[in-house]
Amino acid sequence: MTTPGTAPRTPGAGPGGRAGGGPGGGDEGQGPAGRPEGAGPAATARSRRPVVAALMLGMGLAAIDGTIVATAVPQIVGDLGGFAVFSWLFSGYLLAVTVTLPVYGKLSDTFGRKPVLITGIVLFLAGSLLCAAAWNMAALIAFRVVQGLGGGALQGTVQTIAADLYPLKERPRIQARLSTVWATSSVAGPALGGLLAAYADWRWIFLVNLPVGAVALLLVVRHLHEPVRPRPATRPPVDWAGSLAVFATGALLLTALVQGGVAWPWISAPSLGLLGASAALAVLTVVIERRAAEPVIPGWVWRRRTIASVNLALGAMGLLMVAPTVFLPTYAQSVLGLGPIAAGFVLSAMTLSWPVSAAFADRIYNRVGFRRTAITGMTGALLVLLAFPLLPFPGAAWHPALLMLLLGAALGLFQLPLIVAVQSTVGWSERGTTTASVLFCRQVGQSLGAALFGAVANGVLASRLASAPVPGLSGGLDAVPHALEDPAALSAAASDRLRRAVDAAVDHVFVGAAGAAVLALLVLVLVAPRRFPVLPEHGAAAASRDRAVKD
């Protein structure tokens, strides 16, 4: 009798019963014949729908909350004050989400997905209610951290449950749906936040989460029933010490990366102190995890080439994603002269093609394999990133929009095969930890990218302004945003010179992002195995999956 979601060991299989081939096609080979997990009558597909709806609602909540606050900042600051620290509304949420991902992943493998997801939704809703009741900026920031604690559970557990419910053959479909929800919510967030702040009250930004989250919670409680798994005679103790160490290490490191060069200079006592403390805590974390019976970040996450290579590749993708998501809107508004809404549409082109490409990715990797499909996608992304600095100045809005359309298509071919592949190489008891490690690395990559490319952009901009000063511009880099928002403050020639400096800074950022794409390609070529050891899917596991979604 096998544990639901896992497969029995086969000759030559690695740890966790990983077999040497699977239905990935191409370099992955073909797995043994058998009834795929999740395959069943139409009633089974119907019984999954409430759970899928809950997953999509949860994913939408986590995605929209990362962007919805942005356009309401003026109203929030006007009501609560705290302009000097308002950036922590975003940083605090990001920190809490990122550092809790590996903790929730391990907890979901130990106690099951359902209690972790329910806890995450409850925390998120409690944080939303508290944010709506915040009386000053400090309270709002603290309550945003509470929201982030729930958001970390939502992001990781939703992806894991999706892999639990669907077999390898159907996994691209659910991943494409989740990608569509994430993209749509991320793009709609700023617009919805602006509308609520302008025509209602900024507190409704958080209150609208309550009915949506309540529906998701109800669906999870009523319709998600995990299969009964054999319980060990003695359950290993939870690695609370390791969880706390991971949380503290990640919090200090990400605080240094997010605030360095913004709240204080990179070469300063706060930056050096935070980086040094995070390095010391990282060493302590390794020591604690090596001694733990069930470490929250087990060593096999990095010892297995499949998982380590996907972690590194998606970390590099997080790095390069900073260029379009953070710097493209600035380019569209400052260089092309577009308004905020039009600039958002330029970026949204990427979110349109990404889920479409992901939906068709299985047709490619079933022919050529996971690894080759990902290499193809990242090669396309590299070409697009290198093409951006070649755009004419100032150019037309459709030029970057077309590049973003192509970039989204390329990254859809890159990310989805890797996530599907890595989730398919582990059994149920390791899938939560594996998924969380992948998402954690992607989040850390984005934080690193924000710090690194922010420094690159500021350096290029400062160099250009020093070599060719802009008449009428005083106050250094801090004066640039105000000058760009008020073109009448500068002469036409000075405004053109400033726009060219911004254009050069963004071009250098995209070249840096191309370097991150090269890093991802090197990982796939040199580290990733030619054949992903996909687990065979058996009828017993499929039956357990069917029971997991029945009333």
Side-chain angles (χ1 to χ4, degrees), residues 117-317:
L117 182 57
I118 290 175
T119 300
I121 295 175
V122 170
L123 276 174
F124 188 89
L125 295 182
S128 298
L129 186 60
L130 290 170
C131 285
W135 53 92
N136 57 34
M137 184 62 74
L140 183 57
I141 291 171
F143 298 148
R144 282 283 286 171
V145 172
V146 176
Q147 264 195 315
L149 296 177
L154 287 174
Q155 283 197 33
T157 313
V158 163
Q159 294 272 14
T160 306
I161 293 175
D164 289 341
L165 292 180
Y166 284 83
L168 176 59
K169 183 178 180 180
E170 298 180 35
R171 228 163 264 164
R173 187 188 312 166
I174 183 62
Q175 290 290 353
R177 290 180 185 175
L178 294 177
S179 296
T180 302
V181 170
W182 184 274
T184 304
S185 300
S186 298
V187 173
L192 179 59
L195 288 173
L196 290 174
Y199 297 104
D201 186 270
W202 65 263
R203 297 178 190 273
W204 280 100
I205 289 173
F206 304 104
L207 291 175
V208 294
N209 292 334
L210 300 182
V212 178
V215 172
L217 183 61
L218 179 64
L219 291 175
V220 170
V221 170
R222 290 191 58 185
H223 296 282
L224 178 59
H225 300 284
E226 297 185 272
V228 178
R229 293 174 286 114
R231 294 187 177 183
T234 58
R235 187 188 294 273
V238 177
D239 181 23
W240 295 116
S243 300
L244 181 60
V246 170
F247 187 92
T249 304
L252 289 181
L253 176 60
L254 291 177
T255 301
L257 295 176
V258 170
Q259 297 299 111
V262 179
W264 49 71
W266 281 108
I267 307 300
S268 64
S271 283
L272 297 178
L274 286 170
L275 291 173
S278 61
L281 278 175
V283 174
L284 178 62
T285 302
V286 172
V287 173
I288 293 174
E289 294 297 82
R290 284 185 173 181
R291 296 179 178 178
E294 287 290 334
V296 66
I297 301 182
W300 54 260
V301 167
W302 292 103
R303 286 195 298 267
R304 298 181 191 175
R305 288 179 62 191
T306 51
I307 303 175
S309 61
V310 173
N311 283 345
L312 293 173
L314 287 183
M317 190 197 80

